[in-house]
Amino acid sequence: MLPKRIYQFVIIYLAALGGLQAIKLVFALSDYVIPSPADLWQTAEAVFSRYLGDALNTLAVAIVGHLLAIVLATVVAIIGRLTNWAGALIKVAAYNLQAYPIVAVAPIIFILLGDGLASRLLIAAMICYFPLLLSFIGIFAEPVVDIEHFYTMTGRMRWQLEVKIRAFENNAKLITVTAGSATLAMVGTIVAEFFGANAGIGYSLRIALYQSDLAKVLVALFLIGIFTSLYLALLERIGVWLQHKLVLPTGGTL
Amino acid sequence: MRARIFAEFLLIALLASAALVGGCGPPEGDLGPLTYRLKWLFNVSVVGDLYAGAEGLFEAEGLQVTVKPGGPEKDAIKELELGHAQFGVASADQVIRALAKGSPVVVIAQIFQQNPLQWIYRPDRNRFETPADFRGKTLGVTFGGNDEAIMRALMATRGLSEQDATLFSVRYDYTPFLEGRVDLWPVYRNAQGVIIEDKLRRAGEAVAFFDPNAAGVRFVANSVITTRALLEQHPRTVQKFLKALLEGWRRAVDPAQAERVLAMIQLHDRDTALPLLRQQLDITRQMVRPTAETVIGRIDAAAWKQTEEIMLTQNLIPAAVNVASSLVSP
């Protein structure tokens, strides 16, 4: 799974580079607009190790932000699945907050929290949190009638059991949504770094854009792509393992 | 199937090449509508450009010019090369970086004779007379921006390195300076400088500005650019454009036209109060035409040379580009 994802990304990246070179050739553009392969190689040699550290830094923040968002979305979705006013309020709030573009909210976060780790974490978590929350609410609010009816009629239904049943019956959906939101966590971290932080690959991207240096941007994009692919592959692997554990329980009860 | 895909690709490439070649050789004066891409959003820093457009000075020269605002994501040099614009405004460091990468860009006018980039500070807390006063202070710079290059050049004049002062990463919001966490903060003296000064004065705080020019660092600001091909193939168009543009600037900085000019800026910059706009215009006037003898648009070759040297010293370009050969007064 892992090599396949990497190969796929490398093929897409090389195709995009090829497309850029074709445009450069056809329109006789200078290296300032589109870097030549030699320029790209020299730039990669010069910045690769530094950008590698930056990309790892970004990935670490994205993973922590993603985990925070998953935990928070799970808790809030469990409360939000209720049909009472609290559940309704959470749903409306989630929809409304998701509508705000992060570029409008980010400056407020940076003013309040500064340009350190906390702001990056919060923005990364925010970007993947709301899509996760809406999906989780949808999943946890949907009764699994066939199974739940039995426990309700026998008076054994508890909220913990209800959550477990719904999570078990929808585990494939939950895993897909969680893995899908990983890219959002990465995007959120990069956006945060781009706007206000002073570390990470997003910060390096911003400096490269200030210098109109597309070669640096392309090197950064390569690393972002590789690390996003790695993270997705890892999540998918965890998902397969979890599904295996849930479908083939080693013992005990649900 | 493969042969068909190859043939289609070849056809697209040929069509694109034909379009490109076709676009390169129309007769002089037959360029059609022109686009002039500015470096930044519409504000007082582009007042002459706006004036030339609003007062029909381009039309008077027989040109149809659309003045388009710039922004952080806009790059006039790239737009020139891609054919999206015929004229533009770029910072000197952008021009020199582009020349270092083989871009066929030429400078045809330099509007600001004095770079409006300065550093604001609180004189009651610090005194910044020379770069030697930077020692031990927290200095705001936009990493990757031209203010970083200017600040490093200033520090180098007194042999200061990064160990002697703290360089603070500057973003759009001024909170770190307003909170006093940073001693020097880069601003465009004629734009944000006026606004922050006003804000702090209202709060009872005094402010002052550190001007790199006064310390001998003359890093060129924004300039008007076009491509060498356009200049060589359509010299009269370039001359007409420049004539209209510089006339726009002459009138825009003429004190007798101030009220008319302010009314025009207000249409584009609705967020800045009129008294502040008036101050911004006064400062802009001094930077565009420092003396009555100053020829508007004059290219300061010595300052360009110094700018190139600074960039070379700081390894911002791999080798000298002989920028003087790309400074053209049509």
Side-chain angles (χ1 to χ4, degrees):
Chain A
M1 192 188 296
L2 181 63
K4 192 179 159 193
R5 274 213 172 268
I6 301 292
Y7 293 149
Q8 284 170 342
F9 168 72
V10 172
I11 289 167
I12 292 167
Y13 182 82
L14 289 177
L17 278 189
L20 282 177
Q21 292 307 315
I23 292 168
K24 178 181 167 71
L25 200 70
V26 170
F27 292 98
L29 301 173
S30 74
D31 286 358
Y32 182 72
V33 182
I34 297 174
S36 63
D39 188 19
L40 194 58
W41 181 255
Q42 282 167 3
T43 305
E45 277 186 328
V47 301
F48 193 82
S49 57
R50 182 159 53 89
Y51 277 19
L52 187 68
D54 291 340
L56 277 168
N57 186 320
T58 300
L59 181 68
V61 176
I63 291 173
V64 177
H66 193 205
L67 288 175
L68 276 175
I70 292 169
V71 171
L72 202 62
T74 307
V75 172
V76 177
I78 288 170
I79 300 166
R81 84 192 195 289
L82 303 170
T83 49
N84 63 21
W85 69 270
L89 183 72
I90 287 169
K91 277 182 212 168
V92 172
Y95 276 112
N96 284 331
L97 286 171
Q98 195 187 220
Y100 284 107
I102 200 70
V103 290
V105 181
I108 301 169
I109 294 171
F110 282 111
I111 288 170
L112 295 175
L113 298 179
D115 56 6
L117 181 66
S119 298
R120 292 162 71 201
L121 261 180
L122 182 61
I123 292 173
M126 272 179 74
I127 283 196
C128 60
Y129 168 69
F130 292 112
L132 271 175
L133 178 62
L134 292 173
S135 302
F136 282 11
I137 286 177
I139 289 167
F140 288 127
E142 186 69 37
V144 183
V145 180
D146 294 349
I147 302 168
E148 289 179 22
H149 178 71
F150 169 75
Y151 290 103
T152 308
M153 295 311 287
T154 54
R156 291 162 62 195
M157 182 59 96
R158 302 280 181 276
W159 71 267
Q160 295 96 327
L161 183 60
E162 186 182 275
V163 169
K164 278 184 185 175
I165 291 168
R166 291 177 189 181
F168 177 80
E169 288 299 315
N170 293 289
N171 68 72
K173 267 191 218 170
L174 285 171
I175 289 163
T176 307
V177 168
T178 305
S181 63
T183 50
L184 290 176
M186 198 72 179
V187 168
T189 312
I190 293 167
V191 167
E193 291 163 354
F194 192 89
F195 276 101
N198 51 16
I201 197 73
Y203 180 60
S204 299
L205 257 177
R206 182 177 160 275
I207 292 175
L209 284 172
Y210 254 124
Q211 297 170 338
S212 299
D213 197 333
L214 190 60
K216 282 183 183 169
V217 173
L218 289 171
V219 174
L221 290 180
F222 177 78
L223 287 167
I224 290 168
I226 289 287
F227 282 114
T228 306
S229 302
L230 281 171
Y231 187 37
L232 278 176
L234 177 73
L235 283 174
E236 282 169 359
R237 215 162 250 207
I238 292 171
V240 170
W241 177 79
L242 272 177
Q243 265 180 320
H244 190 73
K245 295 283 274 185
L246 288 169
V247 174
L248 300 169
T250 51
T253 57
L254 189 68
Chain B
M1 184 66 183
R2 272 187 192 169
R4 193 180 154 189
I5 292 170
F6 180 73
E8 282 177 359
F9 177 77
L10 200 66
L11 183 67
I12 291 167
L14 284 172
L15 285 173
S17 306
L20 185 75
V21 172
C24 286
E28 168 79 294
D30 193 20
L31 269 172
L34 303 171
T35 298
Y36 177 37
R37 172 67 75 185
L38 301 179
K39 176 83 166 62
W40 197 243
L41 306 172
F42 289 155
N43 69 1
V44 75
S45 291
V46 298
V47 61
D49 307 311
L50 289 175
Y51 193 95
E55 295 293 319
L57 301 181
F58 293 120
E59 282 83 354
E61 290 295 325
L63 301 176
Q64 195 185 332
V65 179
T66 306
V67 181
K68 289 189 173 176
E73 75 290 356
K74 298 282 194 301
D75 186 330
I77 299 175
K78 286 178 179 164
E79 294 205 12
L80 290 184
E81 280 205 49
L82 289 163
H84 301 320
Q86 288 68 45
F87 296 95
V89 176
S91 59
D93 63 318
Q94 267 184 319
V95 170
I96 291 170
R97 278 180 216 276
L99 289 172
K101 296 213 169 192
S103 182
V105 66
V106 287
V107 176
I108 55 174
Q110 180 186 327
I111 302 299
F112 281 80
Q113 298 302 313
Q114 198 183 328
N115 195 330
L117 187 79
Q118 298 185 6
W119 272 262
I120 192 170
Y121 65 95
R122 293 176 170 88
D124 53 339
R125 297 187 194 179
N126 296 292
R127 213 75 184 122
F128 292 105
E129 302 287 347
T130 72
D133 300 324
F134 294 170
R135 192 181 292 278
K137 302 295 179 187
T138 304
L139 318 170
V141 290
T142 315
F143 286 109
N146 55 12
D147 58 313
E148 184 193 0
I150 296 172
M151 176 53 79
R152 289 186 190 280
L154 285 167
M155 290 169 72
T157 61
R158 298 302 172 112
L160 300 178
S161 69
E162 270 192 66
Q163 280 72 46
D164 299 309
T166 306
L167 295 183
F168 183 92
S169 178
V170 162
R171 297 300 171 100
Y172 300 112
D173 113 81
Y174 304 103
T175 312
F177 176 72
L178 297 176
E179 288 175 346
R181 286 192 279 136
V182 181
D183 300 308
L184 271 178
W185 192 268
V187 289
Y188 282 97
R189 178 67 187 92
N190 63 330
Q192 309 112 300
V194 172
I195 295 167
I196 301 178
E197 183 180 19
D198 175 67
K199 199 180 253 186
L200 287 173
R201 283 203 201 285
R202 281 170 192 267
E205 292 198 67
V207 294
F209 293 88
F210 182 85
D211 181 4
N213 291 284
V217 174
R218 293 165 62 219
F219 200 96
V220 179
N222 295 345
S223 293
V224 184
I225 54 166
T226 188
T227 59
R228 194 172 285 281
L230 194 89
L231 180 69
E232 287 172 358
Q233 290 162 21
H234 303 272
R236 278 196 300 138
T237 304
V238 176
Q239 277 172 358
K240 285 178 182 177
F241 173 83
L242 207 52
K243 188 180 169 197
L245 185 72
L246 296 182
E247 181 58 26
W249 274 99
R250 253 188 296 277
R251 293 193 202 174
V253 297
D254 180 356
Q257 298 273 340
E259 296 311 313
R260 189 184 175 90
V261 172
L262 285 169
M264 184 201 68
I265 304 174
Q266 274 188 300
L267 294 175
H268 298 284
D269 186 357
R270 295 166 194 268
D271 297 326
T272 310
L274 186 59
L276 295 184
L277 281 177
R278 198 180 298 280
Q279 280 185 53
Q280 289 180 332
L281 184 61
D282 288 343
I283 297 168
T284 302
R285 188 179 296 124
Q286 291 160 23
M287 290 174 165
V288 172
R289 197 171 204 179
T291 65
E293 292 75 39
T294 306
V295 176
I296 290 181
R298 180 184 72 97
I299 298 174
D300 185 346
W304 273 94
K305 201 172 168 209
Q306 192 190 23
T307 306
E308 183 183 349
E309 280 164 8
I310 290 170
M311 293 182 70
L312 199 56
T313 309
Q314 295 180 16
N315 293 322
L316 297 176
I317 46 171
V321 296
N322 186 21
V323 72
S325 64
S326 299
L327 310 176
V328 184
S329 295

